[in-house]
Amino acid sequence: MRSYIVGVGMTKFEKPESRDWQYWDMAKEAGTAALTDAGIGYEDIQQAAVGYCFQASTAGQRAVYGLGLTGIPVYNVNNNCATGSTALMMARQFVEGGGSDCVLALGFEKMARGSLGGGGSDGGAGDFRTSPVARHYGIMAAAHGFEMTPPTAQIFGNAAREHMKRYGTTEAQLAAVAAKNHRHSTGNPYAQFQDPYTVGEVLAAKPIHHPLTRLQCSPTSDGAAAAVVVSERFVEERGLGDRAVEIAAQAMTTDTEASFASGTCIDAVGLPMSREAARQVYESVGIGAADLDVIELHDCFSINELLTYEALGLCGEGESGPLVESGATTHGGRWVVNPSGGLISKGHPLGATGIAQAAELTWQLRGEAGPRQVPDARTALAHNIGLGGAAVVTLLRR
């Protein structure tokens, strides 16, 4: 059984509290856009998978009630920053398993201002003795101690320090990731930030946790995204072939001993998970990184984009710094990575991020991405990761 995305929608991602709306308002906006894009009504939706991290149980129901009170099953999904792609994966499984022909994947987040903490869904640094990421932060504390900086920036910043020490990666190469993604976002009306910055401006921005500056860190954001996932039969019956983008392969991995055995932050933040998820996807369809045209990956911090280049096989181990400096991952290069602006510039409402990646890639594969369009894009990859942990890799193609 094959599955297809036939409709996508998202809100503009915005700074928390910059707009007077509730999570059900943003969910209705994104969901309505996806239904309109597909040319169907909410009455056609048979099940819904709804992802979020910062609301109470059954908020998924409240989120979709604005679309219709049809009594369908609604599944509430929480998988840290990988929540959106997890909801999309559930929708695909519902369709490919033969249980439904038309499923809605929806993700949203209404967040608080300030840095995201390391203690899980409470959004604060919390008590690491009870946190689901206690083991991850324990690895960091043993190797680097603990500083009075935002915990998530700290663990990724320490991964950057390790990469610099091990491979000679430079601060300028880290900044080049952010400069690229901020430049890409200037063509994206949905992005939270749409201003370009030079490498020098990125380096001169407010320090968060050395070597990361503010412009290398994804912000807290409000927003929602949605995708309509359907069966091949539904595509044929409704005449949606011109809208359909196939979910050709998808894999989710979670932590193994490889995340912790080395005692490094590089592994604790998910490099082994990402590498294994990519391997499973590539093997399932018989392709490799060289066959990709456009990629949306989880650049929560600039270092994670470099780590993900290596995990996805865009370059060898330790070669990601020179790769981004070479221009290989921007327009005119071998791949275009994060044409949306990525998490760093588009924004990062946790529950929406993975579905927003799918929305961007759907537009790219349809040729509907406007000034950020990647010419002749046919094969696209999304990568979404959450500490604690989960990594989801999704291959989309026309």
Side-chain angles (χ1 to χ4, degrees):
M1 185 83 67
R2 301 165 78 178
S3 59
Y4 299 83
I5 296 173
V6 294
V8 293
M10 62 180 288
T11 69
K12 186 180 189 302
F13 288 177
E14 302 191 29
K15 183 178 180 179
E17 302 174 16
S18 64
R19 181 171 166 184
D20 184 19
W21 59 356
Q22 297 298 323
Y23 69 83
W24 51 83
D25 298 319
M26 60 181 75
K28 181 177 181 180
E29 183 177 322
T32 299
L35 294 168
T36 300
D37 187 41
I40 65 172
Y42 187 68
E43 65 276 5
D44 294 306
I45 301 295
Q46 297 166 324
Q47 301 195 74
V50 186
Y52 56 92
C53 294
F54 294 100
Q55 298 296 330
S57 181
T58 69
Q61 280 89 320
R62 182 67 180 86
V64 299
Y65 284 173
L67 299 171
L69 290 163
T70 57
I72 62 169
V74 176
Y75 303 87
N76 290 263
V77 182
N78 182 339
N79 222 5
N80 215 339
C81 299
T83 291
S85 57
T86 302
L88 181 66
M89 188 168 189
M90 288 181 66
R92 178 189 64 83
Q93 290 173 333
F94 293 154
V95 169
E96 293 189 2
S100 297
D101 282 314
C102 185
V103 180
L104 180 69
L106 175 69
F108 65 85
E109 214 68 72
K110 186 170 175 62
M111 301 180 71
R113 293 190 180 189
S115 299
L116 183 66
S121 62
D122 65 354
D127 182 346
F128 294 143
R129 292 173 298 177
T130 59
S131 167
V133 291
R135 190 171 181 184
H136 303 74
Y137 282 95
I139 292 288
M140 181 189 77
H144 300 275
F146 195 85
E147 301 178 34
M148 297 306 294
T149 56
T152 49
Q154 190 170 160
I155 194 169
F156 281 95
N158 288 335
R161 295 178 188 181
E162 294 169 356
H163 207 268
M164 295 167 75
K165 182 177 181 180
R166 187 183 301 179
Y167 302 116
T169 307
T170 67
E171 292 183 37
Q173 289 167 343
L174 289 163
V177 170
K180 170 184 70 70
N181 292 346
H182 283 290
R183 183 174 68 253
H184 288 176
S185 73
T186 61
N188 186 1
Y190 296 101
Q192 184 169 344
F193 303 121
Q194 296 173 43
D195 296 320
Y197 296 95
T198 65
V199 168
E201 289 171 328
V202 172
L203 289 171
K206 178 183 176 181
I208 301 299
H209 181 85
H210 182 77
L212 302 178
T213 66
R214 182 179 63 84
L215 292 175
Q216 296 177 61
C217 305
S218 58
T220 50
S221 313
D222 286 352
V228 178
V229 181
V230 303
S231 65
E232 189 169 16
R233 176 173 57 194
F234 193 93
V235 170
E236 293 172 353
E237 290 178 352
R238 298 300 182 98
L240 295 172
D242 62 333
R243 314 298 297 155
V245 169
E246 184 183 8
I247 305 177
Q250 197 170 39
M252 180 194 293
T253 55
T254 58
D255 288 308
T256 66
E257 284 300 324
S259 296
F260 309 109
S262 70
T264 65
C265 291
I266 285 176
D267 287 342
V269 299
L271 177 61
M273 288 194 300
S274 296
R275 182 184 290 122
E276 175 59 18
R279 183 195 67 78
Q280 291 180 24
V281 164
Y282 292 154
E283 287 191 1
S284 70
V285 291
I287 69 167
D291 300 298
L292 304 176
D293 299 312
V294 57
I295 301 165
E296 282 282 311
L297 61 78
H298 198 93
D299 61 317
C300 49
F301 300 92
S302 57
I303 180 59
N304 208 47
E305 179 155 331
L306 296 187
L307 295 177
T308 306
Y309 290 171
E310 298 170 21
L312 299 181
L314 275 60
C315 63
E317 189 173 299
E319 297 175 354
S320 53
L323 183 73
V324 71
E325 276 193 324
S326 74
T329 58
T330 190
H331 294 276
R334 176 61 190 82
W335 307 273
V336 180
V337 178
N338 286 329
S340 69
L343 283 62
I344 284 175
S345 197
K346 180 179 62 180
H348 184 26
L350 273 62
T353 288
I355 301 175
Q357 290 177 329
E360 174 66 24
L361 295 178
T362 296
W363 290 323
Q364 290 285 347
L365 293 174
R366 289 178 180 169
E368 297 173 350
R372 60 190 187 281
Q373 180 66 50
V374 177
D376 303 317
R378 303 294 295 174
T379 305
L381 194 81
H383 161 270
N384 190 203
I385 194 166
L387 284 181
V392 182
V393 172
T394 305
L395 183 74
L396 302 176
R397 65 186 177 191
R398 289 302 299 266

